[in-house]
Amino acid sequence: HGVVSGPRRRPSSVHAAILLLLAVTAAAGRSSARSSVRMTGWESMWSRGVAPGQAFDASRTEPAFEQLLARAASATPSLPPAGSRALVPGCGRGYAVVSLEKAGFAAEGLEISPTAAAAATAYIRAQGAKAEVRVGDFFGLQRERQFGLVFDSTFLCALPPSQREAWAAQMAGVLAPGGELVTNIFPIRAEGEPDPADGHVGSGPPFALSPRLVERLLVGVGFVRLAIEPVPDALRARFGREVLARWRAPTA
């Protein structure tokens, strides 16, 4: 899911989105199934109506990721080859799914919210793309190491911190040996504030992340860091700091 739109957008829309999600998630908390809780919260938001550019919808693919796709062959190291299966979990309206397909990947999206999946499918078709968006729980995917590339943009930050280790293990399970995970790390706290890697979780969603936290999670299950770069102001999709990082999946 995109979580906040536009670097110049006022934070008030973000706060409203977060409060709404917290309210519906709390109501859903009576369910014993974690996937049901997640689905209920996001589906409640989408079913109320989320316009492009509103609340957590960024209205576009992250420019830094677009730039990476544009120089896929010349990037160091290069991205997985065209034709590789690519997944965007929590794809929202499907902006990145379209970008991946246009870059030559066999792209697909995954959404826990049926309303979001329908909105993504409508957007994808309107762009002339053929990618499919499945309704399902990321943690329910079979660990068949089937994807050459996964793009996580504001998906990890939407998960409860207690599920972070499971997120890393699932990424290792669905990525092909030597495949690549690209993470757009957001939100990142200001310099001098406590690093969530040290246990300072804070409130959310979105829950604060840091490059050190994400690296610790992924290296712990066998990923290798390929690159980690702060996103320049001109390429930020949202207000606040972003970091684009690339990770090589375990080879065995």
Side-chain angles (χ1 to χ4, degrees):
H1 302 274
V3 179
V4 182
S5 61
R8 298 178 181 82
R9 186 170 300 276
R10 293 178 298 174
S12 57
S13 64
V14 182
H15 295 159
I18 292 171
L19 290 172
L20 177 57
L21 178 59
L22 289 172
V24 295
T25 302
R30 291 186 291 271
S31 170
S32 60
R34 289 180 178 177
S35 62
S36 295
V37 172
R38 287 194 300 272
M39 187 280 285
T40 302
W42 289 113
E43 176 60 17
S44 294
M45 290 195 72
W46 277 96
S47 64
R48 283 172 166 81
V50 178
Q54 180 186 24
F56 51 80
D57 184 300
S59 77
R60 56 180 173 171
T61 301
E62 288 73 8
F65 185 57
E66 287 269 28
Q67 186 178 82
L68 176 62
L69 291 176
R71 56 182 178 87
S74 61
T76 305
S78 60
L79 286 171
S84 300
R85 289 184 69 187
L87 175 70
V88 183
C91 67
R93 194 165 263 107
Y95 305 116
V97 178
V98 171
S99 295
L100 282 161
E101 181 175 321
K102 290 183 176 180
F105 291 93
E108 55 192 90
L110 182 69
E111 256 300 337
I112 202 164
S113 160
T115 302
T121 298
Y123 173 79
I124 290 167
R125 296 295 175 267
Q127 303 306 306
K130 300 179 180 179
E132 298 292 335
V133 176
R134 290 184 286 163
V135 177
D137 187 349
F138 173 71
F139 295 98
L141 292 177
Q142 294 295 312
R143 296 188 180 185
E144 298 174 343
R145 310 209 70 178
Q146 64 269 49
F147 295 102
L149 176 67
V150 175
F151 178 49
D152 181 311
S153 181
T154 67
F155 177 63
L156 174 60
C157 73
L159 298 173
S162 62
Q163 290 189 279
R164 288 172 175 167
E165 286 77 11
W167 167 87
Q170 184 70 348
M171 285 296 182
V174 302
L175 271 161
E180 183 166 332
L181 169 63
V182 180
T183 55
N184 189 60
I185 302 171
F186 173 89
I188 299 174
R189 290 174 177 156
E191 294 285 350
E193 293 187 6
D195 190 325
D198 296 324
H200 303 282
V201 174
S203 60
F207 293 96
L209 301 176
S210 71
R212 188 160 67 93
L213 171 62
V214 176
E215 181 164 18
R216 186 181 68 193
L217 290 168
L218 293 172
V219 170
V221 294
F223 280 83
V224 175
R225 184 180 72 182
L226 299 176
I228 185 162
E229 300 177 358
V231 175
D233 290 355
L235 294 180
R236 290 178 182 175
R238 302 164 176 87
F239 74 87
R241 301 162 61 202
E242 299 180 18
V243 168
L244 193 73
R246 301 174 59 192
W247 316 89
R248 180 74 70 223
T251 56

